[in-house]
């Protein structure tokens, strides 16, 4: 068993892990390691390499303000360019020496006496010890095939969008695509260009908005390189533009009708057949599900080799997909663009806190945390993109950057004051989450449609019911009155009574 104790263990080597590492170094904290189960950095953008993969948030916003990139080639960047940005940050801030690749974390357990976390790794007998842990694995880290009857009996080739098979040749093949979400609308146009036929199996149509992806000219790039303030101004313009969208998609307001008018105009402009338009028209308010940003999806559906199927899937057959009306659609390959295994209940890895508490059990009815970052009873443990930090209208990295700044401040407090535990108070946590769920009842996400934002019981553990500005402002300072603070030399924990 190892005896050295890290100041910080960062779990996950994607955007969140990289951003956390940069901010730790900028605050003079260098005794940390990044534990990554894969063999390279990048997280979601390392794994999602399907044809057409791109971000639907402008690149100026889908980046960190403390690591600007003046060289984005387009308004919206593809996966290769985003991964290149992540790799450039790791190189610029010399993070590679902190990485521990091939480390699949199987559990973390808090030692209350020592004030540290004991971390176990698959295939290793020794235990990694750390005073603090940042769970930066992200909500889009795990993916699996959906539980459709007959899947195991399918004789053709199957691919999940998050685990793309680049060795498979789609030329001349009959392809079925299950799903019409954010990944699917990027994949389908690419497959239509290659395959002999593409059948798209739609459960629910989404609201589709235009995505104008302009190339960034050389003069603009040069301006941003020479005058960083100009790039920062552009970022702020994009930020406040997206903030205004919240008034139409987070809450059901007159501006929601404006968003829907834009979506209907896009549909009428690109789809001429009335029956197809009817099949593609959502029956829920804009914002209730994730908005789809694309100019290519509707035209692809109308190509001669593409067919939209709206009958529910009954089962997967040996040679294709059987729908509810009894028709079997043969396919050489089925592409499942069915999203990720988001932990709205339970935890991605086993976490055991004070007094043997198991976080997965406490989250069985839905995940919760104090300001998305800390959970009472699990001291010195911090989440990035934790419960109720999902944006419906702005960049996830704006939220993530605020979380990173907050947790780095908390870690700095633990180390500078030599604390055994910094444990959020249960009453503050409960008050925060009661208010959170009350505010969520007024949002479009809780207005009745089915989405991955909600648990099967309708609990919203995913989204933040407000402006990004509000979320960022609540994380500007670490208020120690919200925590039970236990010095390293304290004989017994100093616990604040629950009010």
């Amino acid at each position: 068993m190892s005896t050295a104790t890290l100041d910080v263990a960062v779990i996950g080597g994607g955007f969140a892990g990289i951003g956390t590492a940069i901010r730790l170094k900028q605050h003079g904290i260098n005794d940390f390691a990044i534990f990554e189960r894969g063999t390279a950095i990048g997280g979601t953008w390392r794994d999602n390499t399907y044809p057409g993969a791109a971000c639907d948030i402008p690149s100026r916003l889908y980046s960190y303000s403390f690591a600007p990139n003046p060289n984005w080639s387009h308004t919206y960047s593809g996966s290769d360019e985003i991964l290149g940005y992540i790799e450039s940050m790791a190189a610029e801030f010399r993070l590679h020496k902190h990485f521990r690749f091939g480390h699949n974390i199987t559990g973390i357990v808090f030692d209350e006496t020592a004030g540290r976390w004991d971390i176990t790794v698959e295939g290793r007998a020794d235990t990694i010890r750390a005073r603090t842990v940042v769970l930066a694995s992200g909500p889009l880290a795990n993916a699996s095939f959906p539980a459709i009857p007959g899947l195991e009996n399918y004789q053709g080739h199957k691919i999940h969008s998050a685990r793309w098979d680049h060795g498979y040749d789609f030329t001349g093949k009959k392809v079925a695509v299950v799903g019409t979400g954010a990944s699917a609308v990027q994949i389908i146009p690419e497959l239509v260009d290659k395959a002999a036929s593409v059948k798209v199996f739609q459960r629910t149509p989404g609201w589709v908005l235009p995505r104008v992806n302009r190339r960034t000219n050389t003069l603009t790039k040069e301006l941003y390189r020479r005058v960083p303030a100009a790039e920062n101004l552009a970022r702020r313009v994009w930020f406040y533009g997206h903030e205004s969208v919240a008034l139409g998609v987070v809450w059901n307001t007159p501006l929601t009708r404006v968003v829907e008018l834009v979506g209907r105009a896009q549909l009428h402009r690109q789809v001429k057949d009335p029956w197809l338009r009817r099949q593609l028209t959502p029956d829920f308010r804009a914002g209730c599900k994730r908005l789809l940003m694309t100019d290519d999806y509707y035209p692809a559906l109308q190509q001669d080799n593409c067919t939209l199927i709206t009958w529910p899937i009954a089962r997967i057959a040996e040679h294709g997909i059987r729908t509810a009306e009894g028709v079997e659609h043969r396919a050489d390959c089925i592409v499942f663009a069915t999203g990720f295994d988001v932990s709205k209940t339970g935890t991605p890895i086993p976490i055991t806190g004070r007094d043997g508490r198991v976080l997965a059990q406490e989250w069985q009815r839905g995940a919760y945390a104090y300001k998305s970052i800390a959970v009472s009873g699990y001291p010195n443990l911090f989440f990035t993109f934790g419960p109720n930090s999902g944006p419906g209208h702005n960049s996830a990295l704006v939220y993530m950057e605020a979380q990173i700044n907050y947790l780095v401040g908390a870690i700095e407090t633990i180390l500078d004051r030599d604390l055994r535990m910094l444990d959020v108070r249960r009453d503050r946590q409960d008050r925060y989450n009661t208010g959170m769920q009350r505010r969520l009842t007024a949002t479009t996400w809780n207005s009745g449609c089915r989405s991955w934002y909600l648990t099967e019981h309708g609990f919203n553990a995913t989204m933040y019911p407000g402006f990004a500005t509000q979320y960022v402002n609540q994380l500007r300072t670490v208020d120690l009155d919200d925590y039970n603070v236990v010095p390293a030399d304290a004989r017994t924990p100093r616990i604040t009574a629950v009010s």
Side-chain angles (χ1 to χ4, degrees):
M1 179 176 292
S2 63
T3 56
T5 300
L6 292 164
D7 282 342
V8 191
V10 180
I11 300 174
F15 252 122
I18 294 289
T20 300
I22 292 172
R23 296 304 272 167
L24 287 171
K25 293 193 76 169
Q26 289 176 336
H27 282 251
I29 302 170
N30 292 291
D31 183 23
F32 67 89
I34 308 168
F35 298 96
E36 167 57 49
R37 68 184 177 185
T39 58
I41 67 174
T44 295
W45 295 104
R46 175 201 61 209
D47 297 337
N48 282 263
T49 58
Y50 59 80
C55 186
D56 54 10
I57 289 291
S59 302
R60 301 287 162 214
L61 274 182
Y62 200 73
S63 52
Y64 287 126
S65 67
F66 53 78
N69 175 24
N71 299 311
W72 294 115
S73 65
H74 290 77
T75 305
Y76 300 89
S77 298
S79 60
D80 287 346
E81 194 169 3
I82 295 171
L83 181 58
Y85 170 66
I86 295 172
E87 291 171 340
S88 70
M89 285 193 294
E92 179 183 352
F93 292 95
R94 301 180 181 180
L95 299 181
H96 286 91
K97 65 180 180 180
H98 294 279
F99 269 91
R100 307 290 184 267
F101 293 110
H103 281 60
N104 184 28
I105 305 301
T106 56
I108 60 174
V109 178
F110 188 66
D111 183 333
E112 190 166 347
T113 302
R116 68 161 188 258
W117 287 94
D118 294 333
I119 304 167
T120 54
V121 181
E122 183 179 25
R124 289 184 51 156
D126 61 332
T127 300
I128 297 164
R129 296 173 175 175
R131 294 185 65 182
T132 64
V133 172
V134 178
L135 198 64
S137 52
L140 307 182
N142 300 311
S144 59
F145 290 110
I148 301 176
L151 180 64
E152 67 280 0
N153 298 320
Y154 177 60
Q155 299 298 307
H157 196 70
K158 57 181 184 285
I159 300 174
H160 193 286
S161 58
R163 304 289 183 265
W164 197 259
D165 182 0
H166 290 276
Y168 186 79
D169 185 4
F170 288 92
T171 306
K173 299 295 197 309
K174 296 179 179 179
V175 181
V177 179
V178 179
T180 53
S183 298
V185 300
Q186 295 177 345
I187 293 170
I188 289 164
E190 301 288 332
L191 294 181
V192 168
D193 283 346
K194 295 179 181 178
S197 67
V198 177
K199 290 187 175 181
V200 178
F201 291 79
Q202 172 187 276
R203 183 172 65 180
T204 308
W207 286 101
V208 175
L209 301 181
R211 176 176 175 266
V212 181
N213 194 18
R214 292 191 174 91
R215 180 179 292 277
T216 307
N217 62 50
T218 303
L219 289 177
T220 300
K221 292 179 185 179
E222 185 65 21
L223 172 65
Y224 290 159
R225 276 194 292 269
R226 291 178 177 272
V227 187
E231 184 177 13
N232 184 54
L233 176 62
R235 178 186 173 91
R236 291 178 66 83
V237 169
W238 278 112
F239 173 80
Y240 285 110
H242 277 260
E243 277 289 79
S244 67
V245 174
L247 295 171
V249 299
V250 175
W251 305 280
N252 187 1
T253 71
L255 287 177
T256 308
R257 311 300 182 273
V258 175
V259 176
E260 292 172 355
L261 284 172
V262 173
R264 288 195 178 97
Q266 173 89 332
L267 181 60
H268 278 261
R269 182 175 65 86
Q270 292 193 321
V271 179
K272 303 306 179 185
D273 179 66
W275 174 241
L276 182 58
R277 282 205 303 264
R278 182 176 176 182
Q279 291 177 302
L280 293 169
T281 301
D283 61 358
F284 52 86
R285 298 259 73 94
C288 192
K289 291 175 178 283
R290 182 175 175 177
L291 297 174
L292 306 176
M293 309 292 292
T294 173
D295 292 319
D296 305 324
Y297 175 56
Y298 287 155
L301 289 179
Q302 297 169 88
Q303 296 301 308
D304 292 339
N305 64 332
C306 189
T307 306
L308 180 69
I309 309 294
T310 57
W311 283 94
I313 295 174
R315 64 181 295 106
I316 305 294
E318 287 188 7
H319 302 291
I321 297 176
R322 189 173 301 160
T323 46
E325 86 282 26
V327 174
E328 184 171 317
H329 302 267
R330 295 209 158 202
D332 301 308
C333 177
I334 303 177
V335 173
F336 293 91
T338 48
F340 296 85
D341 303 330
V342 180
S343 293
K344 293 167 287 189
T345 60
T347 54
I349 60 175
I351 301 173
T352 304
R354 299 176 63 181
D355 302 319
R357 296 166 58 174
V358 178
L359 188 55
Q361 295 176 358
E362 298 188 30
W363 279 3
Q364 280 183 338
R365 297 179 61 86
Y368 57 84
Y370 177 69
K371 297 184 178 180
S372 312
I373 290 176
V375 180
S376 181
Y378 301 84
N380 311 347
L381 172 69
F382 306 98
F383 294 85
T384 62
F385 226 178
N388 294 114
S389 63
H393 64 286
N394 218 316
S395 172
L397 263 68
V398 170
Y399 291 66
M400 195 180 297
E401 183 171 324
Q403 294 160 11
I404 290 169
N405 289 337
Y406 181 93
L407 67 87
V408 168
I411 290 170
E412 195 171 30
T413 299
I414 292 169
L415 299 178
D416 289 350
R417 299 193 181 191
D418 194 22
L419 301 181
R420 190 199 309 170
M421 288 188 289
L422 188 65
D423 190 7
V424 67
R425 289 172 47 175
R426 180 62 181 266
D427 60 325
R428 300 297 173 90
Q429 174 180 282
D430 289 348
R431 187 186 309 163
Y432 178 83
N433 283 284
T434 298
M436 179 69 57
Q437 293 303 316
R438 183 174 58 249
R439 291 169 61 191
L440 280 164
T441 60
T443 65
T444 56
W445 309 310
N446 288 40
S447 61
C449 71
R450 289 181 59 189
S451 74
W452 65 270
Y453 303 147
L454 308 178
T455 68
E456 60 182 11
H457 302 296
F459 182 81
N460 192 331
T462 310
M463 308 302 286
Y464 178 74
F467 292 101
T469 308
Q470 292 173 297
Y471 188 84
V472 171
N473 285 340
Q474 72 172 350
L475 294 176
R476 291 201 181 278
T477 59
V478 179
D479 187 349
L480 293 183
D481 287 341
D482 294 335
Y483 290 85
N484 293 312
V485 179
V486 183
D489 57 359
R491 290 187 178 183
T492 58
R494 190 177 74 213
I495 302 299
T496 305
V498 176
S499 60

